Amino acid sequence: MQIHSSTQPPVSSKSDILLLFFPENLKTCGNLPAAVSIFLREFEKSKQFAGKKGEALWIHRPKGLQAEWLLFFGLGELSKLDAATISARIGQGIKTALSKKRPTLAVGFHGVKLPPVTLVQLAGITAFHASYRFDQYKPEPRLKDERETKITLHAGRVASPLKEVNAIGDAIGYAKNIANQPPNVITPASLAQEAAALGKQFKLAVTIWDEQRLKKEGFGGILAVGGGSHNKPRFIRIDYRGGGRSAPPICIVGKAITFDSGGISIKPSDRMDEMKFDKCGGVAVLGILRAAAALKLKINVTGLIASAENLPSSSAYRPGDLVKNLSGKYIEVLNTDAEGRIVLSDALTYASRLKPRAIVDLATLTGACVVALGNEAAGLMGNDARLLAQLQKAAERSGERLWQLPLYTEFHEKVKSDIGFVKNTAGREGGTCTAATFLSAFVENSIPWAHLDIAGTAWTTKEEPHRAKGATGFGVGVVVEWLRSLK
Ligand code: BES
Ligand code: MN
Ligand code: ZN
């Protein structure tokens, strides 16, 4: 899909469908073009449309307009809403419009009090989410018209950010496509091949550690977690260099468990299929590097992905094992289902050795985060208030929500091991915070570090009004927005 923008008023559009958004209080919309206000006056009398949230009204061959269809869509009360909610409402309207399966769609906004550039960016990325479908294995392929719908945003005089919007939207769609792949297609090795292909396409240096090299260099955490599967683990490094030769990189680290059965501490079978999404942190790293390259950001970014398949077998690691990770320290395994922090301990050790400007990691790390925040926000933790504040700001612009959780020093006591350095579980209480505290033990203290627990946000289990069921690409939007803000 391609998003375009136009400085012309939307009513002049020749698109097949003209979609117009209105907030609940139509009176706040200001001067409307005559062709539109005629309809609104009629609606007021007949009470057909009042701009209530989710309200949709189709008009065929609207008088005075060139579009075949006109769709009025209600955004509801807007004044108290954040970017995430506004974006979801816009997405709902666009998804409704796309259901008519016409090749061209024009979109106009009335009464949305956002700066035009912010609005175009938010609506543009939202349009990518709304039009996305994972249908590559369906018996009947999507019609060409539907795949290639041209969407034009009419949002006034905008110094066009459309190139950026298309680059970010494309990276999000790319991440969703990989994340949605089944676990018999995406294994650690095939994920590494995806990274290599991305590197070829975007001129990124990609390095892949196979089992032999992982052994040689002491990546004991990744090897332990991946030990139970024939699909051997990989560590993947992707370098984008848009900054100075000697400028330290930003490290983006991701957990990519291509399937998490829990291992010997096996999970219940109910909904276990969803654990194909346990690779979403690592896949987001691919999307972020793709966007960084496409946007030609003037910084150095290094992506690091720890990938393994967590299965039970006679070669699997066990509860009770002591695992020596890349740092040389021993991790006491109490539960093989707390595998994410173990693979990340290697990746964070490796990242710290690069002396980066900052480290941001993304991981579907804990079920406890889903209990705490539901599916509406990712957990945000870290060791540097300035970095956390920057990420929060980026989240507000991107429409992906982050909610900060604490890393109190008391948690350190809880992850200490009696026989090794740390243990990989610390009870149910504060599970998201103790998992992040475990991670912090492998990050050099002087390096600003943030951890995003995306367990509740990385995928949705049902079709939503504004986006498809499955992977959400969460993390690409907010992290790219943050990277764009750096000099
Ligand atoms: N990948 C899971 C976390 C998860 C669970 C993400 C549900 C999304 C939805 C992770 O590897 C895991 O199993 N964590 C355990 C940790 C526990 C054993 C300390 C959990 O959260 O139950
Ligand atoms: Mn697990
Ligand atoms: Zn997991």
Side-chain angles (χ1 to χ4, degrees), residues 64-349:
L65 296 174
Q66 286 171 295
E68 186 198 350
W69 285 99
L70 176 60
L71 172 59
F72 285 86
F73 199 88
L75 293 169
E77 175 65 63
L78 278 183
S79 54
K80 289 186 189 75
L81 302 184
D82 65 356
T85 309
I86 294 174
S87 144
R89 302 232 170 121
I90 293 173
Q92 186 181 356
I94 294 176
K95 205 170 164 213
T96 305
L98 292 173
S99 69
K100 274 269 191 277
K101 300 188 174 146
R102 293 295 195 276
T104 57
L105 167 66
V107 186
F109 302 89
H110 298 286
V112 182
K113 306 262 179 297
L114 287 174
V117 178
T118 313
L119 178 59
V120 165
Q121 179 169 329
L122 209 59
I125 290 170
T126 297
F128 275 92
H129 282 292
S131 67
Y132 178 86
R133 279 213 324 236
F134 182 63
D135 52 10
Q136 95 181 72
Y137 301 103
K138 296 279 282 182
E140 62 292 329
R142 258 216 267 191
L143 299 172
K144 189 162 174 283
D145 275 0
E146 210 188 331
R147 267 187 285 122
E148 290 173 8
T149 307
K150 186 180 144 193
I151 302 182
T152 309
L153 302 174
H154 296 256
R157 303 214 165 273
V158 173
S160 169
L162 269 286
K163 244 168 87 186
E164 282 91 336
V165 167
N166 278 298
I168 299 166
D170 166 71
I172 293 174
Y174 161 81
K176 286 189 191 181
N177 270 339
I178 298 176
N180 279 324
Q181 295 295 330
N184 57 335
V185 169
I186 290 290
T187 60
S190 70
L191 184 68
Q193 286 321 301
E194 290 292 344
L198 180 73
K200 264 224 165 94
Q201 195 185 342
F202 285 86
K203 298 200 172 72
L204 302 162
V206 176
T207 316
I208 297 164
W209 280 251
D210 62 6
E211 199 191 16
Q212 254 191 347
R213 186 163 172 197
L214 291 170
K215 275 187 187 147
K216 201 172 123 214
E217 297 179 25
F219 287 73
I222 296 174
L223 285 164
V225 171
S229 175
H230 279 295
N231 298 316
K232 293 303 173 198
R234 294 289 187 274
F235 181 61
I236 306 163
R237 171 176 173 167
I238 310 160
D239 282 289
Y240 166 71
R241 303 198 60 88
R245 248 171 164 276
S246 57
I250 304 278
C251 279
I252 311 293
V253 176
K255 165 185 174 182
I257 300 299
T258 58
F259 185 69
D260 181 14
S261 71
I264 298 293
S265 316
I266 198 160
K267 289 180 180 294
S269 51
D270 190 40
R271 292 178 61 176
M272 199 201 270
D273 60 294
E274 288 177 35
M275 284 298 121
K276 72 167 187 176
F277 294 117
D278 213 20
K279 59 183 178 292
C280 285
V283 173
V285 173
L286 292 179
I288 291 161
L289 268 289
R290 183 186 179 101
L295 294 169
K296 300 191 166 68
L297 298 182
K298 297 212 158 16
I299 50 175
N300 296 330
V301 185
T302 297
L304 301 168
I305 301 170
S307 187
E309 184 174 39
N310 189 19
L311 292 184
S313 78
S314 71
S315 59
Y317 79 136
R318 350 161 167 63
D321 280 0
L322 274 175
V323 170
K324 185 181 186 179
N325 93 329
L326 184 63
S327 74
K329 294 186 176 129
Y330 283 92
I331 297 166
E332 185 185 2
V333 179
L334 294 181
N335 187 321
T336 62
D337 198 12
E339 83 298 336
R341 64 198 78 182
I342 300 179
V343 300
L344 286 175
S345 77
D346 279 348
L348 291 168
T349 301

